[in-house]
Amino acid sequence: MKQIKLSGIVKSYGKEVVVKNLDLTVEPGEFLTILGPSGCGKTTTLRMIAGLEEPDEGLIELGDRTVFSRNEGIILPPEMRGLGLIFQSYALWPHMTVAKNITLALKEQRLSKSDIEARLANALKLVQLEGYAKRYPSELSGGQQQRVAVARLIALRPSFLLMDEPLSNLDAKLRTEMRASLKRLHRDLEATTVYVTHDQIEALTLSDRVIIMNEGRIMQEGTPFEIYHHPANLFVAEFIGDPGINLFTGIVSDGALDCGDVTIPLPEALAKRGGKLVAAIRPEKLLVSNEAKSGWVEVKTEILQPTGADTILQVKAGETTMTLLQSGFITLAEGTSLWIDFDPEALSFFDPETQENLRDG
């Protein structure tokens, strides 16, 4: 069984508690991403699984082995945990060639020379570093050094993979290619994978399940679809999405949400609630027309940002600014009128006090 299980994990640095009573299970063969802003506790969590940090309290199990237990006094060192690690720092031996950096752990496992050479060749091919085997880390760019670290993991073929922002130093094109390689690696090894990042694109494209952390706590866990379309609270709603989600604060009035410049339809369950609500809708979910439609809101274009396949539009209705995301390369003059409407099925609603999702909770 390749399950990873954390129970009641607490970690402090001085008086600052960075991980707060964390319970987390990663199922065998699952690709789990821990996503969150800097300082949220995600890297500390990964390092505790690896054995590089020691929790103050709790239990960590890898498969059928307990590798850390404060109550039982069990602390297994990293080299005895059977893990493959890639961290943001490359951790390459400067006096060893690329080939030796990749194969060092394989030689310690006493694999045959032919097996080691085959694994080395395959790993170098996957990270596009064929021909670099005899170079030293000082002769490589930062992105190339990061790829050597990934190749070392590919060659090792561990049952558990731990990755801390392994693609952070790669250019955009290579990052896209390496995401596909990591997903293929995970599939081929059937490895249980924990991946840490602040990049939501990596989280959404790679993961079976995503954990979003903030201030040492799990804010939401779910599939990429659930995290994106059904955020549990305002933190998740605002953290996920590029361009960011549109938020409207208003007062419930006559069965709708009066936000001043726009009026947003409410589901029946919230129409009689009263008081303030926050409505949210993704930029691509706003309905857009080039012609006036009855009941739709007229907006004026302010800023257009064509990205190639899509165009991000900032528009205003009175003093209310919102973002639209439309397919295609759009060119419109500033001040052009568009008409927008709200798809009732695409709206989420949040309590402004608790910040919890009222519709999907």
Side-chain angles (χ1 to χ4, degrees), residues 29 33-35 40 48 50 69 98 154 210 221 227 239 246 258 319 331 339 356:
T33 295
I34 305 177
L35 176 68
C40 73
M48 287 190 289
S69 173
V98 167
I154 291 170
V210 180
E221 60 179 286
I227 293 288
F239 187 77
N246 292 292
D258 183 357
E319 296 302 313
T331 54
W339 285 263
E356 295 301 308

Side-chain angles (χ1 to χ4, degrees), residues 81-87 153 156 158-163 194:
R81 297 194 180 193
L83 302 165
L85 309 172
I86 305 179
F87 291 102
L153 187 65
L156 187 59
S159 297
F160 300 101
L161 305 180
L162 303 183
M163 308 187 210
V194 180

Side-chain angles (χ1 to χ4, degrees), residues 145-199:
Q145 291 181 49
Q146 191 73 306
R147 281 187 275 163
V148 174
V150 173
R152 182 170 54 195
L153 187 65
I154 291 170
L156 187 59
R157 300 179 185 175
S159 297
F160 300 101
L161 305 180
L162 303 183
M163 308 187 210
D164 185 9
E165 307 206 37
L167 309 183
S168 58
N169 295 312
L170 306 183
D171 60 53
K173 182 177 182 295
L174 188 55
R175 191 180 300 124
T176 300
E177 294 173 358
M178 285 302 300
R179 284 202 302 264
S181 294
L182 289 178
K183 202 159 189 174
R184 191 179 303 112
L185 170 68
H186 165 76
R187 181 196 64 201
D188 293 346
L189 293 181
E190 298 180 346
T192 304
T193 302
V194 180
Y195 189 100
V196 162
T197 185
H198 66 274
D199 186 324

Side-chain angles (χ1 to χ4, degrees), residues 2-233:
K2 301 177 183 178
Q3 184 185 75
I4 299 174
K5 188 173 183 179
L6 284 69
S7 305
I9 297 296
V10 176
K11 178 63 179 177
S12 302
Y13 295 110
K15 294 182 179 180
E16 183 183 3
V17 183
V18 295
V19 177
K20 304 171 182 177
N21 199 33
L22 180 71
D23 293 319
L24 175 62
T25 299
V26 190
E27 299 298 339
E30 183 178 31
F31 195 119
L32 176 89
T33 295
I34 305 177
L35 176 68
S38 296
C40 73
K42 58 186 186 295
T43 293
T44 300
T45 299
L46 189 83
R47 290 176 63 85
M48 287 190 289
I49 297 172
L52 300 173
E53 299 279 355
E54 186 178 318
D56 302 328
E57 301 175 23
L59 177 75
I60 300 176
E61 298 169 282
L62 299 180
D64 56 2
R65 295 191 304 161
T66 297
V67 297
F68 176 86
S69 173
R70 175 60 64 201
N71 292 338
E72 298 178 38
I74 299 172
I75 306 174
L76 229 61
E79 64 272 17
M80 295 181 65
R81 297 194 180 193
L83 302 165
L85 309 172
I86 305 179
F87 291 102
Q88 193 170 5
S89 58
Y90 317 120
L92 301 179
W93 295 104
H95 63 288
M96 293 185 179
T97 63
V98 167
K100 288 184 178 180
N101 267 285
I102 293 172
T103 60
L104 180 62
L106 303 181
K107 291 177 181 177
E108 291 177 352
Q109 292 180 358
R110 301 185 182 280
L111 297 181
S112 68
K113 183 178 180 181
S114 60
D115 195 6
I116 290 174
E117 290 177 352
R119 289 197 190 190
L120 173 63
N122 179 62
L124 289 173
K125 181 178 180 180
L126 286 175
V127 299
Q128 300 178 24
L129 285 178
E130 294 168 290
Y132 287 76
K134 295 182 180 180
R135 295 197 187 186
Y136 289 87
S138 61
E139 300 173 310
L140 305 176
S141 68
Q144 289 170 334
Q145 291 181 49
Q146 191 73 306
R147 281 187 275 163
V148 174
V150 173
R152 182 170 54 195
L153 187 65
I154 291 170
L156 187 59
R157 300 179 185 175
S159 297
F160 300 101
L161 305 180
L162 303 183
M163 308 187 210
D164 185 9
E165 307 206 37
L167 309 183
S168 58
N169 295 312
L170 306 183
D171 60 53
K173 182 177 182 295
L174 188 55
R175 191 180 300 124
T176 300
E177 294 173 358
M178 285 302 300
R179 284 202 302 264
S181 294
L182 289 178
K183 202 159 189 174
R184 191 179 303 112
L185 170 68
H186 165 76
R187 181 196 64 201
D188 293 346
L189 293 181
E190 298 180 346
T192 304
T193 302
V194 180
Y195 189 100
V196 162
T197 185
H198 66 274
D199 186 324
Q200 58 182 283
I201 300 300
E202 290 179 14
L204 294 174
T205 55
L206 286 170
S207 313
D208 298 316
R209 186 161 53 104
V210 180
I211 298 287
I212 297 185
M213 289 186 69
N214 188 41
E215 297 181 347
R217 299 186 186 278
I218 294 176
M219 304 301 290
Q220 185 175 357
E221 60 179 286
T223 65
F225 183 91
E226 290 166 346
I227 293 288
Y228 186 80
H229 292 286
H230 304 289
N233 48 61

